[in-house]
């Protein structure tokens, strides 16, 4: 059996969650997220974000979260702005466009947006009413390339969006990994303060399924529940999501799991750097993108599963390695052993 570094959702879920689901299986509770577990989980999330006036909704996955948020926030003539690497552009089968909203793409090698990146987009969309109106800025933390926003960067982006009347939406599918990165000075409280909407990803950090959408902007809270229902995301057995997030938020399990995944990735990164390996981007989360020879990639493929991300030339390609909350030392040490032997 091969070790998998393909993604951070290969396993089922953390044993605390499985235990809690079993323990409360026969409890009779209200449906549609009104069960006591969901209500307790929402209260705990508000406490940890330091934002008691935020609204919290649970949905099953990241694409669903992005689609519901963006389609509910934007009017028919408005559009989203995203880095070219954004998940909504490359990995959601045109879900946003299918709802009638254009996505304006900005080429960014590191996957992050700055005010300077967005200004030309606004300047090029002043032919009113003949062009779509940029209204929402979509960012991810950590990004699809494993990079993160530091506090100063998010503050600048938040201030810019407020000045320009833009909503700031943070995709948090890997929020735990972004916030627990060794170079991060961003906190959950600051994310809630500086964004209009964001979500905490559970699927990629120890849950079976589930993301928690947190709406901080009161203007966007109104009638949001109707969008959840209309898009088929309101689970009758909402306890399935509530129990999971209650367990993840307890005793900061959510952050401990993400920190473990980051730590395992950094062990592999540092071992390769010591052997002179170059990287596509300098990341400090659970996603790393080493540039390896095709011969070494073939050798590693005998024991590990991972994606070949980008061909560099006829001899080298960048691969993507992702560690999870459950990646153990055996897998990491085995990988490092081959690196040390072959390089």
């Amino acid at each position: 059996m091969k070790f998998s570094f393909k993604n951070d959702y290969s396993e089922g879920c953390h044993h605390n969650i499985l235990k809690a689901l079993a323990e409360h299986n026969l409890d009779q509770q209200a449906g549609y997220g009104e069960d006591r577990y969901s209500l307790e989980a929402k209260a705990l999330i508000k406490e940890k974000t330091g934002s008691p006036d935020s609204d919290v909704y649970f949905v099953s996955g990241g694409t669903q979260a992005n689609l519901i948020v963006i389609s509910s926030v934007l009017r028919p003539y408005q559009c989203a702005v995203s880095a070219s690497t954004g998940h909504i552009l490359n990995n959601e089968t045109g879900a946003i466009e299918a709802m009638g909203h254009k996505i304006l793409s900005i080429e960014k090698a590191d996957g992050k947006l700055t005010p300077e990146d967005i200004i030309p987009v606004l300047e090029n969309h002043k032919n009113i009413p003949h062009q779509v109106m940029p209204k929402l800025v979509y960012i991810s933390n950590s990004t699809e390339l494993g990079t993160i926003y530091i506090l100063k960067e998010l503050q600048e982006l938040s201030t810019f969006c407020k000045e320009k009347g833009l909503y700031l939406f943070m995709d948090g599918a890997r929020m735990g990994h972004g916030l627990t990165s060794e170079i991060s000075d961003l906190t959950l409280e600051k994310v809630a303060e500086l964004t209009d909407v964001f979500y905490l990803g559970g699927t990629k950090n120890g849950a079976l399924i589930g993301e928690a959408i947190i709406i901080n902007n009161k203007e966007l809270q109104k009638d949001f529940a109707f969008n959840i229902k209309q898009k088929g995301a309101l689970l009758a057995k909402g306890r399935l999501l509530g129990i999971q997030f209650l367990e993840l938020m307890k005793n900061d399990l959510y952050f401990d799991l993400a920190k473990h995944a980051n730590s395992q990735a950094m062990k592999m990164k540092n071992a390769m750097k010591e052997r002179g390996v170059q990287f596509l981007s300098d990341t400090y989360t659970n996603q790393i993108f080493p540039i390896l020879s095709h011969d070494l990639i073939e050798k590693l493929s005998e024991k590990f599963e991972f994606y070949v991300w980008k061909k560099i030339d006829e001899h080298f390609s960048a691969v993507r390695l992702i560690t999870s909350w459950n990646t153990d030392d055996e897998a990491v040490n085995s990988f490092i052993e081959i690196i040390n032997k072959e390089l």
Side-chain angles (χ1 to χ4, degrees):
M1 182 177 176
K2 291 184 177 182
F3 293 110
S4 179
F5 293 124
K6 269 194 167 184
N7 56 56
D8 35 18
Y9 44 88
S10 295
E11 303 90 353
C13 65
H14 189 270
H15 61 268
N16 284 13
I17 290 175
L18 209 54
K19 181 181 177 183
L21 287 169
E23 283 182 356
H24 303 303
N25 186 46
L26 296 181
D27 291 356
Q28 291 191 327
Q29 292 286 323
Y32 304 106
E34 295 301 319
D35 58 280
R36 74 174 179 87
Y37 315 110
S38 295
L39 297 178
E40 287 178 17
K42 290 178 182 182
L44 195 50
I45 288 172
K46 291 180 185 182
E47 178 186 322
K48 289 187 179 295
T49 58
S51 186
D53 294 327
S54 292
D55 281 353
V56 180
Y57 294 90
F58 298 126
V59 296
S60 65
T63 296
Q64 191 178 64
N66 289 333
L67 183 151
I68 293 171
V69 168
I70 294 174
S71 65
S72 69
V73 163
L74 297 183
R75 295 187 177 184
Y77 50 85
Q78 294 174 334
C79 66
V81 178
S82 169
S84 56
T85 54
H87 201 269
I88 59 173
L89 270 167
N90 299 300
N91 294 282
E92 297 185 358
T93 326
I96 307 305
E97 293 91 336
M99 299 305 298
H101 299 289
K102 188 173 184 177
I103 305 173
L104 301 178
S105 174
I106 298 174
E107 289 294 325
K108 289 291 294 189
D110 64 358
K112 300 197 297 182
L113 292 182
T114 67
E116 291 71 29
D117 298 321
I118 302 169
I119 289 172
V121 173
L122 301 183
E123 290 295 322
N124 291 329
H125 285 79
K126 288 186 173 180
N127 189 14
I128 301 170
H130 305 287
Q131 292 176 292
V132 290
M133 176 194 293
K135 186 62 179 177
L136 179 143
V137 174
Y138 168 91
I139 61 175
S140 303
N141 194 52
S142 59
T143 71
E144 291 74 14
L145 296 179
T147 53
I148 66 166
Y149 286 87
I150 60 172
L151 178 57
K152 183 175 183 291
E153 292 170 334
L154 190 61
Q155 286 173 328
E156 291 174 350
L157 194 54
S158 178
T159 298
F160 174 81
C161 286
K162 285 181 173 63
E163 290 174 350
K164 300 299 180 181
L166 303 170
Y167 298 126
L168 182 58
F169 171 40
M170 180 180 281
D171 179 325
R174 292 189 172 94
M175 180 72 77
H177 307 96
L179 295 183
T180 59
S181 167
E182 63 186 64
I183 65 168
S184 176
D185 61 352
L186 197 57
T187 64
L188 196 55
E189 291 90 341
K190 283 297 181 182
V191 171
E193 176 188 324
L194 297 171
T195 64
D196 293 288
V197 191
F198 73 97
Y199 69 89
L200 290 173
T203 304
K204 294 173 179 173
N205 194 31
L208 275 174
I209 59 171
E211 326 293 306
I213 299 171
I214 295 98
I215 308 175
N216 310 306
N217 185 331
K218 286 188 174 296
E219 175 188 338
L220 305 181
Q221 293 175 355
K222 185 180 179 182
D223 298 333
F224 189 82
F226 288 92
N227 296 287
I228 296 282
K229 177 64 176 181
Q230 191 180 68
K231 300 300 187 297
L234 186 60
L235 296 185
K237 296 184 180 181
R239 61 196 288 155
L240 173 63
L241 301 174
I243 288 173
Q244 293 186 77
F245 274 94
L246 185 55
E247 290 301 316
L248 286 173
M249 291 295 110
K250 279 182 186 177
N251 305 314
D252 288 334
L253 176 63
Y254 183 79
F255 298 104
D256 290 342
L257 297 181
K259 192 180 296 184
H260 171 78
N262 288 349
S263 174
Q264 297 294 64
M266 291 304 98
K267 289 177 187 176
M268 296 163 65
K269 174 187 173 182
N270 292 334
M272 286 185 280
K273 284 184 71 174
E274 288 176 4
R275 294 289 174 168
V277 172
Q278 300 296 309
F279 291 78
L280 197 61
S281 56
D282 192 21
T283 65
Y284 292 85
T285 59
N286 69 322
Q287 296 185 84
I288 54 177
F289 298 81
I291 299 172
L292 306 174
S293 71
H294 295 158
D295 288 341
L296 181 52
I297 291 172
E298 185 176 349
K299 182 72 175 178
L300 289 168
S301 296
E302 295 174 5
K303 197 165 185 177
F304 305 95
E305 292 183 343
F306 51 85
Y307 286 109
V308 176
W309 190 254
K310 180 181 181 181
K311 185 175 181 179
I312 304 300
D313 56 35
E314 60 179 313
H315 300 294
F316 290 87
S317 288
V319 304
R320 184 182 71 170
L321 304 169
I322 303 183
T323 50
S324 81
W325 60 272
N326 195 48
T327 298
D328 59 23
D329 290 339
E330 182 183 358
V332 171
N333 292 339
S334 179
F335 182 90
I336 292 173
E337 183 180 340
I338 295 176
I339 292 296
N340 289 339
K341 180 181 178 182
E342 298 295 326
L343 292 179

